[in-house]
Amino acid sequence: MLTAIDFDVAIIGGGLGGLTLAIQCANAGYSVALFEKEQYPFHKVCGEYVSNESKPFLTQLGIPLEEWNLPVIQQLLITDVKGKAYPFALDLGGFGISRYLLDNALYELAVQKNAQVFCQTKVLNVTYLNNYFEVAAINTNVSAKVVVGSFGKRSNFDVQWKRIHPLNAKSTSVKNFVGVKYHIRYPFPSNQIALHNFKNGYCGISMIEDRKCCLCYLTTADNLRNNENRIDVMQEKVLFKNPALKKIFTEADFLYTSPQVIAQVSFAPKTQIQNHVLMIGDAAGLITPLCGNGMSMAMHAGKLVFGAIDSFLKGTINRMEMEQQYAANWKHHFQYRLWIGRKVQTLMGDEWLTSLSLNVLYRLSFLAKQVIASTHGQPF
């Protein structure tokens, strides 16, 4: 028999947005259930660069960033497909940290705050009826006043709810992409993040904790398909044409027996509200890895959605007002940044266009500053 449990808030997905939201809800005295299909700690495909806009928020929640002695990143290096390098300054800057470490620390904090976390539990269905939700998960049924979707880049709910808008069906932003991540040992500057272009893709590298590096790249599904659907073949035939990438891949000590991979990734615009479920993080809109700011955006969205949920649960606004308030705040903070990210992505991964774009940005430093600043927000 499945047992019904009542909560104020149920969160589907235990990434950065979901975990930080759970902590905020627990701090405010609300009962909160969080569902995560994996068991902490675990690795995720992610660039693992966090901009400093989210540092005050994480510190306020109780994450001891200063004690962890994390790499301070202040420089950006981009190479074109042929390996020519263009350096840029990161005015706001950021730090490197693995999802393995950060997500687990947030999970432990959420449990400490009495959030109910269901690990290794996949949510199968969400039903809204009579101002309540029924959340059907493996071995558990939960009823909740509010449900938040924080299920990442791709979920069965994206398919079930047909969340890609048909008007965008012919857009290049809805092409399927593949993300691949490794952790490596490599003598890389701790204050730098580098983005190396290759045909139809780009690869980022930056230092994280314990003198390890995160090596993560994004490319089209076609790129993989055209290379025997084998990651090793694609890397050697495509990525290695950029000398900087060939050097990293042939000299680094790879710490995974096999890479972390995610497929069928889309950067098409998404809705922030679906069937009265509030979306945060990549579920609300996926920023291109080139902009390196998805982690901060997920946490910021968690803070924004908590403000709306808090007002609703206190009875100062109704459900429609909660949804409208959150959607408006989300668009105010993120819609332009996502649009810029998609536009910048179209300039990358092409031999001629990438070189031209980088040359222009390098020569016009004020323009480069503006583009970089537009993909980052203010500290929150």
Side-chain angles (χ1 to χ4, degrees):
M1 287 288 294
L2 296 177
T3 304
I5 308 171
D6 293 323
F7 289 92
D8 293 314
V9 182
I11 304 167
I12 307 170
L16 296 176
L19 287 166
T20 54
L21 174 59
I23 294 167
Q24 292 172 92
C25 289
N27 282 340
Y30 299 123
S31 58
V32 55
L34 184 145
F35 296 89
E36 170 53 53
K37 58 185 175 63
E38 306 290 346
Q39 177 65 57
Y40 299 97
F42 60 95
H43 294 287
K44 284 189 174 183
V45 176
C46 178
E48 300 185 329
Y49 162 83
V50 186
S51 76
N52 281 333
E53 66 190 84
S54 57
K55 196 171 184 179
F57 178 61
L58 283 169
T59 302
Q60 182 184 8
L61 289 182
I63 300 300
L65 295 175
E66 297 299 335
E67 296 177 16
W68 289 345
N69 193 30
L70 299 169
V72 177
I73 299 172
Q74 298 171 313
Q75 296 177 1
L76 168 64
L77 183 77
I78 307 179
T79 66
D80 62 19
V81 174
K82 293 183 177 180
K84 184 177 180 180
Y86 299 84
F88 302 95
L90 289 174
D91 292 339
L92 181 61
F95 55 95
I97 183 171
S98 71
R99 295 295 300 273
Y100 191 89
L101 173 61
L102 181 56
D103 288 40
N104 191 59
L106 288 167
Y107 158 68
E108 291 179 345
L109 186 57
V111 172
Q112 178 188 324
K113 300 285 186 177
N114 295 319
Q116 180 70 58
V117 182
F118 297 90
C119 294
Q120 294 181 300
T121 305
K122 184 176 181 178
V123 175
L124 304 174
N125 192 37
V126 177
T127 306
Y128 176 75
L129 185 66
N130 297 328
N131 211 31
Y132 272 81
F133 291 91
E134 289 293 334
V135 180
I138 295 176
N139 299 325
T140 306
N141 272 5
V142 165
S143 63
K145 298 173 185 175
V146 177
V147 170
V148 177
S150 180
F151 40 71
K153 297 176 178 65
R154 182 171 174 82
S155 162
N156 58 303
F157 287 109
D158 281 331
V159 178
Q160 183 178 328
W161 293 340
K162 300 178 181 178
R163 298 188 62 227
I164 303 298
H165 197 286
L167 291 178
N168 297 312
K170 295 183 179 180
S171 169
T172 57
S173 64
V174 301
K175 285 181 179 178
N176 279 338
F177 290 86
V178 177
V180 180
K181 187 188 86 170
Y182 301 91
H183 280 169
I184 62 174
R185 297 279 184 193
Y186 186 75
F188 188 79
S190 62
N191 67 336
Q192 184 183 96
I193 182 170
L195 293 170
H196 300 297
N197 279 273
F198 57 89
K199 183 182 179 182
N200 297 323
Y202 45 87
C203 179
I205 179 173
S206 58
M207 192 77 73
I208 55 173
E209 72 274 2
D210 300 329
R211 303 297 299 174
K212 295 181 292 188
C213 288
C214 174
L215 183 68
C216 189
Y217 66 84
L218 182 84
T219 188
T220 60
D222 286 342
N223 226 6
L224 182 60
R225 193 177 300 112
N226 294 336
N227 286 278
E228 304 175 30
N229 277 318
R230 288 179 51 185
I231 287 174
D232 57 336
V233 173
M234 179 180 65
Q235 287 172 175
E236 188 169 345
K237 290 188 175 181
V238 182
L239 277 69
F240 283 19
K241 289 185 178 179
N242 183 324
L245 285 176
K246 183 176 182 179
K247 180 176 173 64
I248 294 169
F249 274 87
T250 55
E251 296 181 6
D253 178 17
F254 283 76
L255 305 180
Y256 293 165
T257 54
S258 58
Q260 296 283 312
V261 181
I262 185 170
Q264 294 182 308
V265 177
S266 169
F267 297 98
K270 295 179 179 180
T271 55
Q272 287 70 61
I273 315 291
Q274 186 79 38
N275 301 344
H276 300 287
V277 176
L278 310 174
M279 304 294 174
I280 61 175
D282 289 338
L286 182 58
I287 192 168
T288 60
L290 185 71
C291 295
N293 216 17
M295 295 170 75
S296 288
M297 283 181 57
M299 291 183 281
H300 194 176
K303 184 174 183 179
L304 293 175
V305 81
F306 172 73
I309 291 170
D310 188 38
S311 296
F312 170 71
L313 293 177
K314 287 177 176 175
T316 58
I317 60 175
N318 60 33
R319 186 175 299 278
M320 181 178 292
E321 290 169 331
M322 173 182 67
E323 294 175 3
Q324 291 173 343
Q325 176 184 314
Y326 171 61
N329 282 338
W330 190 96
K331 289 175 182 177
H332 172 73
H333 286 280
F334 305 131
Q335 191 171 47
Y336 178 67
R337 291 163 68 178
L338 290 169
W339 181 84
I340 285 288
R342 289 193 294 270
K343 295 303 178 186
V344 172
Q345 177 168 283
T346 62
L347 304 177
M348 299 296 110
D350 177 89
E351 183 173 330
W352 176 82
L353 190 57
T354 301
S355 297
L356 176 63
S357 303
L358 290 173
N359 192 44
V360 170
L361 289 173
Y362 181 68
R363 292 175 181 274
L364 303 177
S365 58
F366 72 92
L367 181 60
K369 283 179 176 288
Q370 187 176 345
V371 171
I372 292 171
S374 67
T375 63
H376 291 66
Q378 297 300 312
F380 59 92

